[in-house]
Amino acid sequence: MQLPEKSYGRIELAVRKIIRMGHPTLRKVARPLSDSEILSDEIARLVSDMTDTLHDYGGIGLAAPQVNESVRLALIEIPSEGSRYGDLESLSLTVFVNPTVSILDSPCAGFWEGCLSVPGLRGWVERPQCVRVDYKDLELGEHSQEFSGFQATVIQHEFDHLDGVLYVDRIADMKQLLFEEEFERLAKLGNTVD
Ligand code: ZN
């Protein structure tokens, strides 16, 4: 027996499976969305499902290719507290459609990155720390916004997914790729670099 959907509203989370490194979709260049697609029910549903998925997995960013949809769309939400990334700049849930990133003149800095598509690992990646992002929102509004620090790192990590690039490709020293348990053990001993 099924409950009548209507009278209960939206009672189920729609968590999609996150594909992992090795799945070919993660290595494809995703295609841009047309304006009519951005306004479509399918994309509204995809964004809603991706939001549920991001929250269920406890991530801070999710790109559409990670749920096996090869389109240029990503969500980022950096909580202010209780994050495993500590006290880093928060960002309320933002949907980026067809984003392009411009690196502004800025030195690189590194963070221990992780990825829901590469579970259980952490790697040290250095990236430019000041970027400008041009993107559309779900109402076709155009935005041009600057991001710095950890936000800039998260943005570049997520948008790399739209080009078939994973953070492990950007680790300069492969000795800095660790299992998360080992990373946490070292962090407790105060031996991690950052
Ligand atoms: Zn990722």
Side-chain angles (χ1 to χ4, degrees):
M1 181 188 160
Q2 284 182 305
L3 293 171
E5 255 175 56
K6 229 169 129 188
S7 44
Y8 289 90
R10 191 159 169 273
I11 56 169
E12 270 182 52
L13 288 177
V15 175
R16 296 212 187 180
K17 180 184 172 186
I18 294 184
I19 59 173
R20 300 192 300 172
M21 182 167 64
H23 192 296
T25 300
L26 289 173
R27 292 310 197 172
K28 286 204 318 207
V29 176
R31 68 173 179 83
L33 288 164
S34 68
D35 286 356
S36 60
E37 284 179 304
I38 294 168
L39 298 171
S40 68
D41 291 346
E42 287 74 21
I43 290 301
R45 181 71 209 219
L46 174 62
V47 169
S48 168
D49 290 359
M50 283 175 64
T51 304
D52 289 346
T53 306
L54 181 69
H55 291 157
D56 189 66
Y57 278 78
I60 55 172
L62 186 65
Q66 294 181 274
V67 294
N68 203 18
E69 298 285 349
S70 195
V71 293
R72 302 188 78 80
L73 183 151
L75 313 182
I76 295 177
E77 182 181 41
I78 307 174
S80 53
E81 287 169 21
S83 148
R84 59 182 175 152
Y85 294 91
D87 187 24
L88 295 158
E89 302 126 282
S90 62
L91 184 68
S92 58
L93 183 69
T94 305
V95 181
F96 297 90
V97 183
N98 297 340
T100 57
V101 178
S102 314
I103 309 294
L104 304 178
D105 188 28
S106 172
C108 286
F111 287 95
W112 285 100
E113 295 190 19
C115 181
L116 297 174
S117 292
V118 191
L121 296 173
R122 287 290 192 113
W124 181 255
V125 180
E126 297 191 351
R127 301 181 188 265
Q129 291 298 290
C130 193
V131 298
R132 191 184 67 243
V133 181
D134 295 284
Y135 66 98
K136 281 189 182 177
D137 61 34
L138 293 171
E139 283 84 45
L140 305 180
E142 307 218 5
H143 302 263
S144 183
Q145 208 175 335
E146 288 185 15
F147 297 91
S148 60
F150 186 62
Q151 290 184 349
T153 279
V154 175
I155 275 166
Q156 290 169 81
H157 174 119
E158 295 309 327
F159 299 172
D160 266 356
H161 278 298
L162 309 180
D163 291 325
V165 175
L166 298 174
Y167 83 87
V168 289
D169 306 340
R170 298 202 183 272
I171 299 174
D173 175 2
M174 287 306 282
K175 292 201 264 318
Q176 303 299 318
L177 178 63
L178 314 180
F179 283 108
E180 211 149 46
E181 287 103 352
E182 300 299 332
F183 171 82
E184 275 154 23
R185 200 193 316 253
L186 287 172
K188 267 186 211 142
L189 295 171
N191 286 341
T192 54
V193 283
D194 55 16

